[in-house]
């Protein structure tokens, strides 16, 4: 999914740090991992800085049994990421486009840098001359958060007031 | 989604094939690790790789099937999708899997594994996809249950997103509009062949054109046919002689076609026709695994020879 598609599908876009995780069985008997996040920057939506939210990720390990869903988003404790989230009925958040909706970040000399997500997918599209060219991922290279923030706001400007 | 999203394309089949002899490995194995892929490590190799330690297993197609096709057609597509993998030869020799459909359909649409009381590897179409918290743009989710300490696969369940239908059989070159992602129909074999790769413990490939590439255009048929990257993965996991000679088809704990442990309502016996959105995504992610039940049918066994 490209950035406009991610933004269009997200209810909230924010930067957050993973505080802890809790693995348990959900009401469908699946193993899920709830990641507690503290929002450090709101970019789009109704979340506020300092708010703690839960991001639910399918899969995890309990009592010696593991459950995996390939492509599902994951966040490790202590990790900071740019999150494109959608709200679901249970009150928790889910990443938009699975792993595409959680973009890891790291501190660089020019501030926070955002890494491409989507499980390392190399997406391509057909260019005007019919050749296949890279494209349609939210990010194709490590990008400063400041640059990405502007792009997200621009993408979401027509949908609702940020 | 903006129009350019509809232009999302996986590489055409020919490129994947032509480059296969002169490229780095792109396939990725699923592992027990919960570490997320990253820029530095797009294929997570932490943990233990997931793999079957038995050469025979059986699956059940949910009794509700899909409203888009009759049951024989559906079963035929799933059979053909499994055959794509079972026909793989590694150095001229088959790994030795035997896979069959259960005589009875499942009546549980949930992705679950029970430590006792029986299980079922189910294939089910969900018309209430959102109720499962799955991504609305995903054609399917395959859930792989395994032993954390060994990576042994215990159970797999494939759930398909009926709200992204209709599903059907496209011409070999793809349905009209597949190039732009605007096709009316999604090719079921294209999707199921990819999902079965997950059933065998294969993760997403970075190789556009491979069956295990994670993105699919609506109406494409590219993934019906395995590419070298796909067969390399399969042969790496299951080199001939690596599977035990014993053959037992029933799931761990025995076959149980319902799922009473779940409170998610998966035990219902009928599937209503999906009410579809007027603006479906032109593409969708292909993802994970899961399966469930049905009525009596002819037993089939397909050895991979």
């Amino acid at each position: 999914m490209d950035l406009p598609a991610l933004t269009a599908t997200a209810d909230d876009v924010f930067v957050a740090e993973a505080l802890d995780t809790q693995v348990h069985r959900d009401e469908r008997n699946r193993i899920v991992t709830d990641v507690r996040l503290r929002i450090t920057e709101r970019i789009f939506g109704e979340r506020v800085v300092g708010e703690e939210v839960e991001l639910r990720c399918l899969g995890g390990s309990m009592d010696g049994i593991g459950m995996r869903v390939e492509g599902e988003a994951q966040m490790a404790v202590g990790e900071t990421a740019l999150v494109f989230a959608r709200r679901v009925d249970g009150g928790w958040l889910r990443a938009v486009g699975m792993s595409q909706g959680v973009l890891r970040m790291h501190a660089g000399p020019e501030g926070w840098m955002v890494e491409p997500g989507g499980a390392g997918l190399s997406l391509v599209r057909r260019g005007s001359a019919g050749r296949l060219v890279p494209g349609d991922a939210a990010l194709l290279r490590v990008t400063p958060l400041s640059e990405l923030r502007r792009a997200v706001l621009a993408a979401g400007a027509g949908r609702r007031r940020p | 989604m903006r129009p350019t999203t509809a232009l999302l394309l996986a590489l055409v089949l020919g490129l994947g094939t032509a480059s296969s002899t002169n490229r780095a490995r792109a396939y990725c194995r699923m592992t027990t690790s919960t570490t997320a892929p990253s820029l530095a490590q797009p294929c997570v190799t932490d943990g233990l790789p997931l793999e079957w330690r038995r050469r025979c297993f059986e699956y059940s197609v949910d009794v509700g099937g899909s409203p888009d096709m009759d049951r024989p057609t559906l079963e035929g597509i799933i059979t053909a999708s499994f055959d794509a993998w079972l026909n793989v030869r590694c150095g001229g020799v088959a790994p030795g899997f035997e896979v069959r459909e259960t005589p009875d359909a499942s009546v549980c649409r949930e992705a679950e594994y029970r430590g006792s009381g029986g299980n079922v590897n189910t294939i089910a179409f969900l018309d209430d996809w959102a109720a499962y918290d799955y991504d609305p743009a995903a054609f399917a989710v395959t859930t792989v249950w395994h032993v954390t300490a060994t990576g042994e696969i215990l159970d797999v369940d494939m759930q398909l997103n009926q709200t992204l239908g209709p599903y059907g059989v496209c011409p070999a070159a793809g349905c009209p509009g597949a190039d732009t992602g605007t096709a009316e129909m999604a090719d079921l074999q294209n999707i199921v062949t990819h999902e079965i790769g997950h059933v065998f413990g294969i993760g997403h490939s970075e190789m556009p054109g491979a069956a295990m590439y994670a993105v699919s255009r609506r109406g494409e048929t590219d993934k019906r046919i395995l590419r070298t990257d796909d067969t390399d993965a399969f042969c790496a996991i299951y080199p001939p002689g690596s599977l035990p000679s014993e053959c037992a088809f029933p799931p761990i704990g025995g076959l149980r076609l319902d799922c009473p442990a779940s409170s998610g309502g998966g035990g219902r016996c009928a599937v209503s026709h999906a009410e579809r959105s007027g603006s479906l995504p032109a593409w969708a992610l292909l993802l994970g695994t899961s399966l469930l039940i049905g009525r009596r049918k002819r037993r089939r066994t397909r050895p991979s020879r």
Side-chain angles (χ1 to χ4, degrees):
Chain A
M1 301 176 81
D2 60 14
L3 197 61
L6 274 179
T7 305
T9 312
D11 295 307
D12 299 288
V13 183
F14 52 79
V15 176
E17 179 186 7
L19 301 178
D20 58 43
T21 61
Q22 184 179 22
V23 182
H24 62 97
R25 295 265 184 173
D26 72 358
E27 74 283 1
R28 294 188 180 278
N29 210 24
R30 299 174 297 192
I31 297 176
V32 298
T33 302
D34 288 337
V35 184
R36 189 164 61 95
L37 304 174
R38 178 184 293 129
I39 295 174
T40 57
E41 179 180 345
R42 163 192 165 277
I43 294 180
F44 187 92
E46 299 172 0
R47 303 294 169 183
V48 296
V49 172
E51 184 179 356
E52 292 184 4
V53 295
E54 273 190 353
L55 180 73
R56 175 156 295 184
C57 303
L58 298 176
S61 179
M62 276 185 77
D63 303 324
I65 300 297
M67 186 192 116
R68 275 290 317 275
V69 174
E70 179 73 356
E72 180 69 10
Q74 302 284 348
M75 272 187 84
V77 173
E79 209 167 58
T80 297
L82 175 62
V83 180
F84 295 77
R86 57 187 175 88
R87 301 171 201 150
V88 296
D89 288 344
W92 51 83
L93 300 176
R94 295 276 288 140
V96 174
M98 302 177 76
S99 59
Q100 297 176 95
V102 176
L103 306 180
R104 276 181 175 167
M105 294 171 52
H106 65 264
E110 300 172 23
W112 284 106
M113 305 295 288
V114 186
E115 302 177 7
L121 298 176
S122 303
L123 304 183
V124 295
R125 64 178 175 83
R126 198 174 293 282
S128 57
R131 296 176 64 87
L132 290 159
V133 297
D136 289 308
L139 280 185
L140 296 174
R141 57 179 172 77
V142 177
T143 304
L145 176 62
S146 56
E147 182 181 323
L148 203 55
R149 183 189 298 117
R150 287 193 296 271
V152 170
L153 290 173
R159 190 164 69 96
R160 72 171 71 128
R161 192 170 60 186
Chain B
M1 292 181 191
R2 68 175 195 174
T4 51
T5 303
L7 297 178
L8 185 68
L9 296 176
L11 265 180
V12 291
L13 298 180
L15 181 55
T17 303
S19 62
S20 61
T21 56
N22 200 20
R23 55 150 176 74
R25 153 190 149 171
Y27 71 79
C28 186
R29 295 183 64 172
M30 297 174 72
T31 76
T32 56
S33 173
T34 56
T35 302
S38 65
L39 190 63
Q41 192 182 27
C43 176
V44 174
T45 54
D46 302 344
L48 298 166
L50 304 189
E51 60 190 26
W52 289 92
R53 303 276 172 83
R54 53 193 302 185
R55 70 178 190 88
C56 301
F57 66 90
E58 59 188 1
Y59 63 89
S60 296
V61 181
D62 174 56
V63 66
S66 168
D68 297 328
M69 64 192 73
D70 60 32
R71 193 159 186 99
T73 301
L74 171 59
E75 291 176 350
I77 290 170
I78 294 170
T79 297
S81 303
F82 266 108
D83 283 348
W85 292 98
L86 299 180
N87 289 333
V88 170
R89 297 293 177 268
C90 308
V93 181
F97 275 110
E98 290 189 45
V99 179
R100 73 182 186 190
E101 187 176 357
T102 58
D104 297 304
S106 63
V107 290
C108 167
R109 306 185 308 151
E110 305 297 315
E112 68 172 18
Y113 171 77
R114 291 188 294 265
S116 60
N119 288 286
V120 58
N121 300 311
T122 214
I123 298 176
F125 289 79
L126 307 180
D127 57 358
D128 52 349
W129 188 253
Y132 285 74
D133 267 3
Y134 294 145
D135 195 276
F139 276 128
V141 165
T142 293
T143 303
V144 180
W145 299 88
H146 57 274
V147 179
T148 308
T150 65
E152 179 183 3
I153 296 174
L154 299 171
D155 184 277
V156 289
D157 298 301
M158 184 188 304
Q159 294 165 302
L160 294 117
N161 183 356
Q162 185 60 54
T163 69
L164 288 184
Y167 294 100
V169 181
C170 289
C175 277
D179 285 348
T180 56
T182 57
E184 171 67 21
M185 187 169 69
D187 186 76
L188 184 59
Q189 187 176 338
N190 187 75
I191 295 163
V192 174
T193 302
H194 172 97
E195 296 303 321
I196 290 172
H198 295 317
V199 167
F200 284 112
I202 305 171
H204 286 145
S205 171
E206 294 180 81
M207 178 68 67
M212 296 314 295
Y213 191 60
V215 176
S216 178
R217 286 167 285 124
R218 186 176 184 78
E220 75 160 44
T221 54
D222 298 0
K223 294 179 175 60
R224 287 183 186 175
I225 300 170
L226 304 187
R227 304 299 157 189
T228 303
D229 192 60
D230 304 307
T231 58
D232 283 352
F234 191 69
C235 291
I237 302 174
Y238 306 107
S242 63
L243 293 168
S245 58
E246 300 79 30
C247 177
F249 287 98
I252 305 289
L255 178 63
R256 179 161 184 168
L257 295 172
D258 62 352
C259 48
S262 170
S263 60
R268 70 189 212 182
C269 296
V271 176
S272 61
H273 198 293
E275 185 175 334
R276 298 191 186 93
S277 161
S279 57
L280 294 175
W283 61 277
L285 292 171
L286 288 161
L287 301 167
T289 282
S290 159
L291 35 152
L292 305 178
I293 292 219
R295 62 177 183 273
R296 183 164 295 281
K297 57 190 167 292
R298 183 169 56 89
R299 179 181 293 258
R300 288 192 306 266
T301 300
R302 295 188 306 285
S304 61
R305 281 186 291 280

